[in-house]
Amino acid sequence: MAAGFDVIVLGLGGMGSAAARHLAARGARVLGLEQYSPVHNRGSSHGGSRITRQSYFEDPAYVPLLLRSYELYEQLERDTGLDVAMLCGGVMVGPPDSRTVAGSLRSAEKWGLPHELLDAREIRRRFPTMTPTDDEVALYEDLAGLVRPENTVAAHLRLAARDGAELRFEEPVTRWETLPGGRGVRVRTAQGTYTAGHLVICPGAWAPGLLDDLGVTVTVERQVMYWFQPAGGTRPYEPQRHPIYIWEDVQGVQVYGFPAIDGPGGGAKVAFFRQGGTVCTPDTIDRTVHPEEIAAMAGQVAPHLPSLPGSFLTASTCMYSNTPDEHFVITPHPAHENTTVACGFSGHGFKFTPVVGEILADLALTGSTHHPIELFDPRRFSDASA
């Protein structure tokens, strides 16, 4: 059996890499275990970009965590020199009573966040790439933008290793268990057996198998990201001209997209948000993107940004790990001592990666956190069914 650690982190994707970084920075003896290579593309922390925003339509309770996450992203860039965030502005577009617009406005007003409300004419004037209908509006947020998932994971891993964490890759976990009498945890892999005082599990799409006794149903869905070369080139879509956006139509279908951030040949990225995802597992996901899917994406975005479908460049699959209410689970494991869990980030979690790492370090080392995480307590599901 290998020598003991203070904390073992299982999974070194977005949340796990951040947890390892914050734990190591506090002087903990950390072992990180990952079944794939560093910064892999088999889960949910790839694809070049993720939207970040503060006027959060999902729930105003997320806003304090977002404000802290913004601070930590800035610190991550300073500490590593890696490009991890870009604030290019963003618009939440749709009918005034849509979840995207009304929910964003509710968070902005509750927390006093800087924002503007734009009518269709003003949207078209500021952003000539966009063609809203006359009855659509937008909430504009200057501090919205994007974060880069691969660079974020790489930066957290770099800092964790710098501060003494032992990070082991290509080493899948075969079993984990708590030791009797509150003596810590034991984790087995094909290469060895490790003990620690505490275990942090960040399983991503592997949650259903690893956390089957958590009391939360986590459903994994296949999602697709697309890159198109706009007709006429990418210049109108450069970050100084074109914002990130989430656009909800009258049927409630949401699409989201980005400026052209990877040069003239990189195109512009778009995707559906929670539309057409098929239930899968990491082993059964279809990683082929089919012609009819490309056509559906192009057809959905064309009325909103008519030059964008242009020509198709490439596509990539990823996985959403969804809880029944689409909110996260961040909690001490209710059935296992000395174990903390972060899962079910439901397609909107990556922007929170640095602050989730901070929260997990708090819970592992002190048993509590000053951050507001009541919304993420898994007991909400058992209480609702009582």
Side-chain angles (χ1 to χ4, degrees):
M1 183 179 296
F5 296 86
D6 295 321
V7 185
I8 296 173
V9 178
L10 197 166
L12 294 174
M15 306 308 173
S17 63
R21 182 270 184 275
H22 284 281
L23 285 161
R26 300 185 196 185
R29 295 172 297 160
V30 178
L31 171 66
L33 294 171
E34 168 58 52
Q35 64 180 321
Y36 295 115
S37 60
V39 199
H40 63 81
N41 65 355
R42 310 303 292 171
S44 305
S45 298
H46 60 281
S49 57
R50 295 290 186 275
I51 285 176
T52 189
R53 50 195 164 91
Q54 296 182 357
S55 300
Y56 216 60
F57 64 75
E58 286 84 349
D59 196 300
Y62 285 91
V63 173
L65 299 177
L66 284 162
L67 298 179
R68 178 56 177 158
S69 197
Y70 269 56
E71 294 174 347
L72 291 171
Y73 268 113
E74 289 183 8
Q75 179 182 327
L76 194 61
E77 284 196 329
R78 291 193 302 269
D79 289 346
T80 64
L82 290 175
D83 171 21
V84 297
M86 175 190 297
L87 302 183
C88 56
V91 286
M92 310 298 118
V93 189
D97 60 351
S98 64
R99 183 189 186 201
T100 301
V101 176
S104 298
L105 181 60
R106 183 169 62 250
S107 284
E109 291 180 338
K110 177 172 181 177
W111 293 100
L113 301 173
H115 68 284
E116 298 176 69
L117 287 177
L118 311 180
D119 62 17
R121 181 178 179 180
E122 183 64 8
I123 298 169
R124 290 190 290 263
R125 187 189 71 81
R126 291 199 194 185
F127 309 114
T129 51
M130 298 183 168
T131 55
T133 58
D134 289 342
D135 56 353
E136 289 182 311
V137 300
L139 181 143
Y140 173 75
E141 180 184 327
D142 196 48
L143 293 178
L146 61 97
V147 295
R148 290 188 173 273
E150 291 92 343
N151 281 5
T152 298
V153 173
H156 282 136
L157 292 176
R158 180 186 299 181
L159 293 177
R162 182 199 69 182
D163 291 336
E166 182 177 334
L167 307 177
R168 299 179 66 90
F169 299 95
E170 307 285 355
E171 188 165 344
V173 169
T174 57
R175 177 180 174 85
W176 66 272
E177 59 192 341
T178 54
L179 298 173
R183 294 187 293 112
V185 297
R186 179 164 50 220
V187 176
R188 302 181 190 274
T189 74
Q191 283 76 29
T193 300
Y194 310 96
T195 60
H198 201 94
L199 176 64
V200 174
I201 303 178
C202 301
W206 288 262
L210 283 170
L211 299 173
D212 57 353
D213 59 350
L214 182 61
V216 179
T217 300
V218 177
T219 302
V220 179
E221 289 185 355
R222 172 185 178 270
Q223 295 290 331
V224 183
M225 302 170 281
Y226 304 83
W227 286 260
F228 292 91
Q229 183 71 8
T234 57
R235 189 171 186 275
Y237 288 85
E238 292 174 350
Q240 64 270 31
R241 297 179 175 88
H242 184 79
I244 62 93
Y245 57 90
I246 301 176
W247 205 312
E248 181 175 342
D249 67 16
V250 292
Q251 284 79 39
V253 176
Q254 291 171 304
V255 297
Y256 66 93
F258 299 83
I261 58 174
D262 293 318
K269 177 183 169 184
V270 297
F272 285 106
F273 186 49
R274 306 188 184 288
Q275 180 70 17
T278 56
V279 175
C280 67
T281 72
D283 293 326
T284 64
I285 181 175
D286 179 4
R287 296 190 182 274
T288 300
V289 179
H290 302 279
E292 60 271 21
E293 295 179 297
I294 300 167
M297 185 76 259
Q300 183 69 28
V301 78
H304 305 312
L305 301 98
S307 67
L308 181 57
S311 59
F312 171 70
L313 294 175
T314 189
S316 178
T317 59
C318 69
M319 291 176 282
Y320 283 6
S321 302
N322 300 310
T323 64
D325 61 6
E326 300 175 1
H327 296 309
F328 311 158
V329 173
I330 304 175
T331 183
H333 198 301
H336 297 277
E337 288 184 288
N338 307 311
T339 302
T340 299
V341 172
C343 67
F345 289 95
S346 297
H348 65 109
F350 197 90
K351 63 185 72 65
F352 296 89
T353 292
V355 71
V356 170
E358 191 170 66
I359 291 166
L360 294 173
D362 291 342
L363 295 176
L365 297 178
T366 71
S368 64
T369 182
H370 70 279
H371 290 295
I373 61 171
E374 294 81 7
L375 182 62
F376 312 136
D377 190 327
R379 289 175 296 185
R380 67 189 188 267
F381 298 113
S382 56
D383 292 345
S385 62

